[in-house]
Protein backbone atom coordinates (compact mmCIF):
# COMPACT_ATOMS: atom_id res chain seq x y z
CA UNK A 1 0.00 0.00 0.00
CA UNK A 2 1.26 3.47 -0.80
CA UNK A 3 0.01 6.65 0.84
CA UNK A 4 -2.40 9.10 -0.71
CA UNK A 5 -3.85 12.49 0.08
CA UNK A 6 -7.48 12.69 -0.92
CA UNK A 7 -8.98 16.00 -2.02
CA UNK A 8 -9.17 18.50 0.80
CA UNK A 9 -12.46 20.19 1.60
CA UNK A 10 -12.51 23.85 2.58
CA UNK A 11 -15.50 25.51 4.23
CA UNK A 12 -16.10 29.00 5.55
CA UNK A 13 -18.68 29.92 8.16
CA UNK A 14 -18.53 33.64 8.83
CA UNK A 15 -14.93 34.33 9.85
CA UNK A 16 -14.21 30.67 10.66
CA UNK A 17 -12.47 28.51 8.06
CA UNK A 18 -12.37 24.73 8.21
CA UNK A 19 -10.11 22.40 6.22
CA UNK A 20 -10.73 18.65 6.11
CA UNK A 21 -8.42 16.03 4.66
CA UNK A 22 -8.47 12.26 4.51
CA UNK A 23 -4.94 10.91 4.24
CA UNK A 24 -4.31 7.20 3.68
CA UNK A 25 -1.01 6.14 5.16
CA UNK A 26 0.88 2.93 4.36
CA UNK A 27 1.75 2.12 7.96
CA UNK A 28 -0.16 0.77 10.98
CA UNK A 29 -1.60 3.19 13.53
CA UNK A 30 1.18 2.36 16.02
CA UNK A 31 3.79 3.55 13.50
CA UNK A 32 1.85 6.70 12.53
CA UNK A 33 1.02 7.95 16.03
CA UNK A 34 4.56 9.19 16.88
CA UNK A 35 4.48 11.51 13.83
CA UNK A 36 1.44 13.27 15.32
CA UNK A 37 1.93 12.88 19.06
CA UNK A 38 5.64 13.57 19.68
CA UNK A 39 7.80 16.67 19.20
CA UNK A 40 10.26 14.74 17.01
CA UNK A 41 7.47 13.33 14.87
CA UNK A 42 5.77 16.68 14.30
CA UNK A 43 9.12 18.29 13.42
CA UNK A 44 9.82 15.58 10.81
CA UNK A 45 6.96 16.67 8.53
CA UNK A 46 5.08 19.70 9.91
CA UNK A 47 6.75 22.09 12.34
CA UNK A 48 8.86 21.84 15.48
CA UNK A 49 6.92 21.44 18.71
CA UNK A 50 8.95 23.47 21.20
CA UNK A 51 6.62 22.24 23.96
CA UNK A 52 4.33 19.20 23.93
CA UNK A 53 2.90 17.80 27.15
CA UNK A 54 1.29 14.55 25.89
CA UNK A 55 -1.94 14.61 27.87
CA UNK A 56 -5.34 16.26 27.87
CA UNK A 57 -4.85 19.83 29.07
CA UNK A 58 -1.10 19.73 28.44
CA UNK A 59 0.77 22.67 26.98
CA UNK A 60 1.66 22.85 23.29
CA UNK A 61 3.87 25.31 21.41
CA UNK A 62 4.10 24.78 17.66
CA UNK A 63 6.73 26.95 16.01
CA UNK A 64 5.25 29.33 13.42
CA UNK A 65 1.72 28.28 14.52
CA UNK A 66 1.28 29.27 18.15
CA UNK A 67 1.04 28.16 21.76
CA UNK A 68 -1.94 26.67 23.49
CA UNK A 69 -3.29 23.46 24.92
CA UNK A 70 -3.84 19.80 24.09
CA UNK A 71 -7.66 19.73 23.83
CA UNK A 72 -8.09 16.03 22.97
CA UNK A 73 -5.70 13.16 23.62
CA UNK A 74 -6.38 9.47 23.09
CA UNK A 75 -3.09 7.65 22.45
CA UNK A 76 -2.90 6.08 18.98
CA UNK A 77 -6.29 7.57 18.12
CA UNK A 78 -6.75 11.35 18.56
CA UNK A 79 -4.42 14.31 19.06
CA UNK A 80 -5.98 17.76 19.02
CA UNK A 81 -4.08 20.97 19.57
CA UNK A 82 -5.77 24.35 20.08
CA UNK A 83 -3.42 27.30 19.80
CA UNK A 84 -4.01 30.99 20.35
CA UNK A 85 -4.45 32.78 17.02
CA UNK A 86 -3.64 29.49 15.28
CA UNK A 87 -6.92 27.64 15.60
CA UNK A 88 -7.62 23.98 16.29
CA UNK A 89 -5.77 21.11 14.61
CA UNK A 90 -7.32 17.64 15.03
CA UNK A 91 -5.63 14.41 13.93
CA UNK A 92 -7.91 11.35 14.14
CA UNK A 93 -6.41 7.95 13.28
CA UNK A 94 -8.35 4.85 12.21
CA UNK A 95 -7.18 1.47 10.98
CA UNK A 96 -7.37 1.17 7.19
CA UNK A 97 -7.19 -2.42 5.99
CA UNK A 98 -4.62 -4.85 7.33
CA UNK A 99 -1.59 -2.58 7.58
CA UNK A 100 -2.70 0.95 6.80
CA UNK A 101 -4.03 3.98 8.64
CA UNK A 102 -6.60 6.58 7.67
CA UNK A 103 -5.84 10.03 9.07
CA UNK A 104 -8.87 12.31 9.28
CA UNK A 105 -7.55 15.84 9.67
CA UNK A 106 -9.54 18.94 10.57
CA UNK A 107 -8.11 22.43 10.88
CA UNK A 108 -10.43 25.13 12.15
CA UNK A 109 -9.12 28.69 12.24
CA UNK A 110 -10.04 32.34 11.84
CA UNK A 111 -8.45 35.07 9.78
CA UNK A 112 -6.55 34.53 6.58
CA UNK A 113 -7.18 31.25 4.84
CA UNK A 114 -4.61 28.47 5.05
CA UNK A 115 -4.20 26.91 1.64
CA UNK A 116 -5.25 23.38 0.83
CA UNK A 117 -2.10 23.12 -1.31
CA UNK A 118 0.12 23.87 1.67
CA UNK A 119 -1.53 21.15 3.77
CA UNK A 120 -1.43 18.72 0.84
CA UNK A 121 2.34 19.30 0.61
CA UNK A 122 2.69 18.69 4.35
CA UNK A 123 0.77 15.42 4.14
CA UNK A 124 2.85 14.31 1.14
CA UNK A 125 5.90 14.94 3.31
CA UNK A 126 4.31 12.88 6.12
CA UNK A 127 3.81 9.99 3.68
CA UNK A 128 7.48 10.27 2.60
CA UNK A 129 8.64 10.20 6.22
CA UNK A 130 6.48 7.17 7.03
CA UNK A 131 7.67 5.33 3.93
CA UNK A 132 11.26 5.86 5.07
CA UNK A 133 12.19 8.60 2.60
CA UNK A 134 12.37 11.38 5.18
CA UNK A 135 14.58 12.19 8.09
Amino acid sequence: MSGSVEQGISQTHGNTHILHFLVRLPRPVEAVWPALGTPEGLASWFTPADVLEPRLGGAIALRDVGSGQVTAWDVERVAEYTVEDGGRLRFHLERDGETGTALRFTYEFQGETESEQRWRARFERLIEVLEGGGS
Side-chain angles (χ1 to χ4, degrees):
M1 173 186 182
S2 63
S4 67
V5 182
E6 297 193 4
Q7 180 62 41
I9 299 169
S10 178
Q11 302 171 321
T12 301
H13 302 283
N15 194 33
T16 301
H17 307 286
I18 304 169
L19 284 178
H20 296 281
F21 275 93
L22 174 60
V23 183
R24 298 200 184 276
L25 301 164
R27 303 288 306 276
V29 170
E30 302 79 27
V32 174
W33 175 255
L36 308 174
T38 67
E40 303 79 19
L42 288 165
S44 73
W45 69 276
F46 175 37
T47 192
D50 296 320
V51 175
L52 173 54
E53 296 175 348
R55 60 179 169 75
L56 183 62
I60 181 89
L62 298 172
R63 197 173 301 168
D64 302 322
V65 179
S67 297
Q69 193 171 46
V70 176
T71 48
W73 190 262
D74 185 358
V75 174
E76 295 185 356
R77 186 169 151 81
V78 177
E80 180 181 278
Y81 309 123
T82 301
V83 295
E84 294 176 20
D85 300 326
R88 180 176 63 91
L89 299 102
R90 182 176 182 87
F91 303 95
H92 184 136
L93 299 178
E94 301 171 354
R95 297 204 183 281
D96 188 22
E98 292 290 317
T99 60
T101 300
L103 164 60
R104 295 184 188 281
F105 172 76
T106 303
Y107 182 31
E108 185 176 321
F109 59 99
Q110 295 187 345
E112 293 185 33
T113 59
E114 176 79 19
S115 79
E116 288 179 44
Q117 288 178 320
R118 190 167 170 189
W119 276 102
R120 179 175 296 280
R122 288 174 177 146
F123 291 130
E124 287 171 355
R125 174 74 178 140
L126 174 60
I127 290 167
E128 275 181 37
V129 167
L130 291 172
E131 289 178 339
S135 55

